[in-house]
Amino acid sequence: MPMLDVKEQVVPKDFQRMELRSLVNLAGEPISHYWPMKTFIHHNPLHGLEHLSFDEAIKQGTRFFGGRGYLSNREYRDYFKEGRISEESINEAIKEVAQNAMITIGDRKLSHLEVLRTILIHGTGKVSTDVSSAILQPLLNQPEVKVLVEKIKDLSKRKAPKDSLSGHASQELEELASQYTIGEWCDR
């Protein structure tokens, strides 16, 4: 029967421990502006946008770098169905925006939190075209809407093409590099 060799455990001496600590500290010194690496993320993809709120930095990062800052609603809902996102997490995320209000649907009262949670988990569904038309059609006949449409038509007739092009060019110049990149401008 084979026997395992039992090796004698060697306890490092104090000077060996100090030398090892020194080497570990030296290895953790900054090599680039993203170091020392203290977490598993090797760099901040939103570097340079730290002065913005997180949501605004994500929006700018999406525009400038072309990445997605958030998953799609479908992906979040799939994660919920898989159990990767818990109902408690959803409640925690929306409790700050939920109002202390109730709505009655049939014979059941629902809190604002319950309505928000349901929308997050299941979406809002689709409104059929005939239903949306039935709701919007009466609004189009209101005198205020008709006046607004006429004013917009009149405004577009009065503008000279030269003014429109000049105004467009000025706006493009203002927005270049602040609202979009040169590459995005070329693509447009």
Side-chain angles (χ1 to χ4, degrees):
M1 178 168 188
M3 299 277 287
L4 292 175
D5 288 337
V6 178
K7 296 203 176 197
E8 182 180 337
Q9 185 175 0
V10 177
V11 178
K13 295 182 173 40
D14 285 343
F15 77 91
Q16 291 172 316
R17 284 186 183 156
M18 288 174 48
E19 182 181 13
L20 180 59
R21 279 192 190 126
S22 171
L23 290 172
V24 169
N25 284 333
L26 186 62
E29 285 185 4
I31 295 173
S32 74
H33 59 279
Y34 296 116
W35 290 43
M37 295 187 336
K38 303 261 185 213
T39 63
F40 103 144
I41 297 172
H42 75 289
H43 75 282
N44 179 2
L46 300 176
H47 180 70
L49 302 173
E50 291 95 345
H51 64 284
L52 301 173
S53 69
F54 182 77
D55 191 51
E56 187 59 31
I58 290 291
K59 286 177 187 173
Q60 293 297 324
T62 299
R63 290 191 60 248
F64 292 129
F65 309 127
R68 278 186 352 183
Y70 299 107
L71 301 174
S72 69
N73 289 338
R74 175 80 273 139
E75 289 171 295
Y76 284 120
R77 288 184 183 115
D78 289 343
Y79 284 163
F80 176 78
K81 287 177 188 171
E82 294 168 9
R84 294 178 69 182
I85 297 175
S86 68
E87 195 161 337
E88 295 81 28
S89 297
I90 290 175
N91 290 339
E92 186 66 29
I94 61 176
K95 75 178 181 183
E96 295 297 320
V97 295
Q99 298 173 7
N100 189 17
M102 301 291 279
I103 185 170
T104 304
I105 299 177
D107 60 347
R108 179 141 192 261
K109 287 188 179 249
L110 298 171
S111 69
H112 189 231
L113 181 77
E114 290 173 303
V115 172
L116 290 176
R117 183 177 53 237
T118 301
I119 290 170
L120 279 173
I121 294 171
H122 302 289
T124 57
K126 294 181 181 175
V127 178
S128 65
T129 310
D130 57 334
V131 172
S132 61
S133 296
I135 293 169
L136 294 175
Q137 199 60 43
L139 298 176
L140 296 177
N141 295 325
Q142 291 180 356
E144 296 86 4
V145 174
K146 287 182 178 181
V147 169
L148 182 61
V149 169
E150 289 305 315
K151 283 186 178 183
I152 291 172
K153 284 180 182 177
D154 184 46
L155 231 143
S156 63
K157 287 177 189 173
R158 283 192 276 153
K159 278 202 167 195
K162 180 183 155 221
D163 291 337
S164 294
L165 288 175
S166 175
H168 182 71
S170 296
Q171 181 155 355
E172 287 285 313
L173 189 59
E174 285 177 22
E175 292 177 352
L176 186 61
S178 65
Q179 299 296 318
Y180 51 85
T181 64
I182 292 174
E184 288 173 317
W185 181 79
C186 290
D187 288 344
R188 291 171 74 191

